[in-house]
Amino acid sequence: VVVLLIDEVDCLATRNQAILYRIFSLITLPRPQLALVAISNNIDLPERLLPKVCTRLGFDRVDFRSYTRDEILEILQSRLETHQASEAFRSDTLKFCAARVAGHSGDVRKALQLCRRALDLRRDGQSQEPVTIHYLRRADEDLLQANPCVRAVGGLGVKPRLFLLSLLLEMREHQAEQMHAKKVAQRYVKLHLARSALEQDVEFDLRGQTLRGYDEATTLMERLEACTLLRRHYVNDVVDETGITRRSGPFLSLNSLDMDDLSVALQDAETDPVLVDLLTK
């Protein structure tokens, strides 16, 4: 039996889903001797597949939710106990770290990275006391400021930041690491129109503002990609009947920074309380 493991399978979810259809059709062949395991970043991928693809799927599905605060705390404590280093961190420090990471991505790798950096800072200060929340906050700042892309976000203008906020909100809503540029542009136009309506006391040209908003979104996309803050890519769709290959997309994803870092960078740079409220929800 051949075990075929496909990671990031959601990247193959093209417009007509021909690639996924062909892959999953392999297990319908007579005596395929094939075990197919697909891993997706999007928890709702099966619900977004076309019916013809869903009929090829099996019923064995395992959902891996983001780690909760208690789970992250248990992992950190277990790591320390394994190395007989439970006294290296104060209990409130570990709880703060677990809560901070669980409130954003729930990625335990981020928690481990923060703890390692906090421990390095304590050693540099030649302190023998357990790691406190003070060191953890400094570690968070160091890791954040060490990323040049985070500093670049702080130097952007209002509209580029608004576009990045649109991408971040779409990624959060769909629990995805990449989004179709059209959806991001639509979100940007909505936020842009809302800001324009609040800033102007008189009625303005809604249709004209909408068209200009889409044009701006395209320009901002190209500018942010040139700044290496975004990555834009296409996915090839293969049409079975004609053999013609068409491009689907573009899809947008963050480049050189994760969602947590972008959220913090935007919060530090943003002055509009409405947008700050969207970031902290």
Side-chain angles (χ1 to χ4, degrees):
V1 175
V2 175
V3 178
L4 177 59
L5 176 65
I6 307 176
D7 198 5
E8 308 282 354
V9 71
D10 41 319
C11 294
L12 301 178
T14 56
R15 185 175 60 254
N16 62 8
Q17 300 178 8
I19 299 175
L20 288 178
Y21 180 76
R22 286 184 172 184
I23 292 175
F24 290 129
S25 292
L26 294 175
I27 58 178
T28 65
L29 298 174
R31 301 186 56 152
Q33 292 187 311
L34 174 68
L36 180 59
V37 180
I39 304 174
S40 169
N41 287 326
N42 300 306
I43 202 168
D44 63 337
L45 178 64
E47 286 74 29
R48 294 192 284 110
L49 295 176
L50 297 175
K52 68 175 184 179
V53 180
C54 288
T55 57
R56 299 296 194 267
L57 288 177
F59 294 97
D60 297 326
R61 172 176 172 177
V62 181
D63 291 337
F64 292 91
R65 302 282 178 177
S66 298
Y67 284 108
T68 64
R69 179 188 60 183
D70 293 338
E71 289 170 339
I72 294 175
L73 178 61
E74 182 179 353
I75 292 171
L76 295 177
Q77 291 173 337
S78 175
R79 288 290 186 96
L80 292 172
E81 291 172 0
T82 301
H83 297 280
Q84 298 180 350
S86 299
E87 303 300 323
F89 286 79
R90 288 179 49 171
S91 60
D92 60 340
T93 304
L94 293 179
K95 291 178 181 178
F96 178 81
C97 179
R100 188 230 182 272
V101 175
H104 290 82
S105 63
D107 189 343
V108 73
R109 294 170 298 180
K110 185 83 171 180
L112 295 171
Q113 188 180 25
L114 278 173
C115 288
R116 279 194 295 266
R117 180 56 183 158
L119 189 59
D120 289 340
L121 290 173
R122 193 208 67 172
R123 287 172 178 169
D124 293 343
Q126 298 181 346
S127 173
Q128 299 301 319
E129 66 175 356
V131 176
T132 62
I133 293 178
H134 166 71
Y135 289 109
L136 195 71
R137 291 186 187 275
R138 284 183 54 192
D140 196 14
E141 293 175 359
D142 285 357
L143 292 174
L144 190 64
Q145 296 304 321
N147 191 335
C149 288
V150 172
R151 295 196 298 270
V153 170
L156 294 174
V158 175
K159 290 181 179 179
R161 294 202 309 269
L162 192 64
F163 189 86
L164 288 175
L165 173 61
S166 303
L167 174 60
L168 179 63
L169 294 178
E170 286 293 324
M171 293 170 67
R172 283 180 177 176
E173 181 177 330
H174 295 88
Q175 297 184 7
E177 294 187 357
Q178 62 178 7
M179 289 302 306
H180 199 289
K182 183 178 180 181
K183 288 186 174 294
V184 180
Q186 290 173 343
R187 172 85 70 158
Y188 170 80
V189 170
K190 291 178 181 178
L191 292 176
H192 176 66
L193 290 176
R195 283 175 57 91
S196 299
L198 291 174
E199 292 173 356
Q200 300 182 31
D201 294 331
V202 296
E203 294 185 1
F204 60 97
D205 181 7
L206 178 61
R207 185 172 185 276
Q209 289 275 7
T210 301
L211 293 176
R212 283 194 293 272
Y214 279 110
D215 291 340
E216 284 180 357
T218 303
T219 303
L220 291 171
M221 189 190 316
E222 296 172 351
R223 177 183 169 188
L224 292 170
E225 183 182 24
C227 295
T228 69
L229 294 174
L230 293 184
R231 187 168 69 90
R232 179 172 48 168
H233 59 96
Y234 293 83
V235 179
N236 289 333
D237 281 344
V238 180
V239 182
D240 298 337
E241 293 78 7
T242 63
I244 299 176
T245 302
R246 296 191 176 93
R247 294 201 306 174
S248 174
F251 292 89
L252 301 178
S253 59
L254 296 176
N255 189 27
S256 302
L257 75 170
D258 58 23
M259 294 172 60
D260 285 353
D261 292 343
L262 177 58
S263 177
V264 175
L266 288 174
Q267 287 182 49
D268 291 341
E270 194 56 63
T271 57
D272 189 328
V274 177
L275 300 182
V276 173
D277 184 58
L278 289 175
L279 283 165
T280 54
K281 282 184 177 179

